[in-house]
Amino acid sequence: MKILLVEDEPKVSAFIKRGLEEEGMEVEVAYDGRFGQQLALSRAYDLIILDVILPHFSGLEVLRAIRTQNQQTPVLMLTALGTTQDKLHGFGGGADDYLVKPFDFPELVARVHALTRRRGQQVKSAVLTFDDLTLDTAAKTVARAGQTIKLTAREFGLLELFLRHPGRVLSRAEIAGDVWEDSFDAGSNVVDVYVNYLRNKVDKGFAQKLIHTVVGMGYVLRHQ
């Protein structure tokens, strides 16, 4: 499980990171809102833990940016602002949960598991769509403009990753880690090869291209 923690207090962030890593999670930390937003919009995470009072961009500004990109990643607001109005602002901005500091660490862990478990349950029967492209994760079918597209298991996994993160530039390393997991050879160009395979099946024959290369960064599913 990969988590983004956006928290500007070094002691608090170190405490949370250490505790979650002891639970077997991978935690990446951003110490200000600007960098946190950059990471949230450019990388794939299973959960984002977000403070409200941050340098540069506030947590609520970061949250709005995330939701504007149609990100479905769960967001847990973790902040000292605990009034009812504060919570309403958080939930109204698209937060999935809200935990007030100071907090008991076991409660944080329980909420993290609940949010990621809920997302996993939704994923099992999800039908993912972007433009005229549709992928059914349960039936394992793909279609574009009503035309069935036959994909290999690896191509299906790659397309599913793109559809779960539309508009987000995914690096080759992130794609490899998600689709190939431990079987990936870092020295190969297998990601580029499979993206080209997928393009030939998803974009060929359509005026609107959906899978794009971002030079030096990776690939993204978006409109031209």
Side-chain angles (χ1 to χ4, degrees):
M1 183 189 304
K2 189 173 183 179
I3 294 175
L4 172 62
L5 171 63
V6 188
E7 168 61 64
D8 66 320
E9 296 181 36
K11 290 183 179 179
V12 175
S13 61
F15 167 71
I16 295 173
K17 177 179 171 65
R18 183 173 60 252
L20 292 179
E21 287 179 340
E22 288 175 355
E23 295 288 328
M25 305 173 196
E26 180 183 350
V27 182
E28 191 164 7
V29 180
Y31 296 99
D32 65 75
R34 181 182 294 133
F35 186 49
Q37 178 173 308
Q38 179 184 333
L39 290 178
L41 298 180
S42 64
R43 299 183 183 180
Y45 297 98
D46 297 296
L47 174 72
I48 297 172
I49 300 175
L50 184 60
D51 194 0
V52 173
I53 302 175
L54 294 165
H56 304 305
F57 298 160
S58 74
L60 292 175
E61 289 176 303
V62 176
L63 178 61
R64 283 194 293 271
I66 294 170
R67 293 311 184 215
T68 297
Q69 293 291 328
N70 296 319
Q71 307 294 336
Q72 298 303 311
T73 303
V75 176
L76 168 63
M77 305 300 289
L78 184 64
T79 174
L81 302 177
T83 69
T84 299
Q85 194 63 38
D86 291 326
K87 294 178 182 179
L88 289 175
H89 283 152
F91 286 120
D96 297 279
D97 202 353
Y98 198 105
L99 184 60
V100 179
K101 300 174 183 176
F103 58 91
D104 292 326
F105 190 76
E107 181 178 3
L108 173 62
V109 173
R111 293 191 183 216
V112 167
H113 283 306
L115 287 171
T116 53
R117 182 169 59 248
R118 189 185 313 157
R119 185 187 185 213
Q121 291 169 346
Q122 294 171 344
V123 162
K124 289 179 182 178
S125 59
V127 175
L128 307 175
T129 61
F130 183 81
D131 197 79
D132 56 355
L133 179 64
T134 301
L135 180 148
D136 188 320
T137 61
K140 301 298 182 186
T141 57
V142 175
R144 182 163 184 192
Q147 301 178 28
T148 299
I149 300 173
K150 294 183 179 181
L151 301 179
T152 66
R154 196 74 77 182
E155 291 165 351
F156 187 93
L158 179 57
L159 181 59
E160 183 177 348
L161 178 64
F162 280 125
L163 283 166
R164 293 201 183 284
H165 305 285
R168 201 187 252 189
V169 178
L170 299 172
S171 70
R172 290 169 177 80
E174 289 170 327
I175 293 171
D178 188 282
V179 179
W180 277 265
E181 298 177 343
D182 296 333
S183 63
F184 178 69
D185 178 4
S188 74
N189 67 338
V190 67
V191 170
D192 305 280
V193 170
Y194 269 85
V195 169
N196 284 330
Y197 288 161
L198 191 60
R199 271 196 183 121
N200 286 333
K201 295 184 177 181
V202 170
D203 282 340
K204 191 173 182 179
F206 292 91
Q208 176 68 63
K209 307 305 179 185
L210 300 180
I211 301 173
H212 302 273
T213 302
V214 180
V215 178
M217 297 181 68
Y219 298 97
V220 60
L221 179 75
R222 70 184 181 201
H223 298 110
Q224 288 178 319

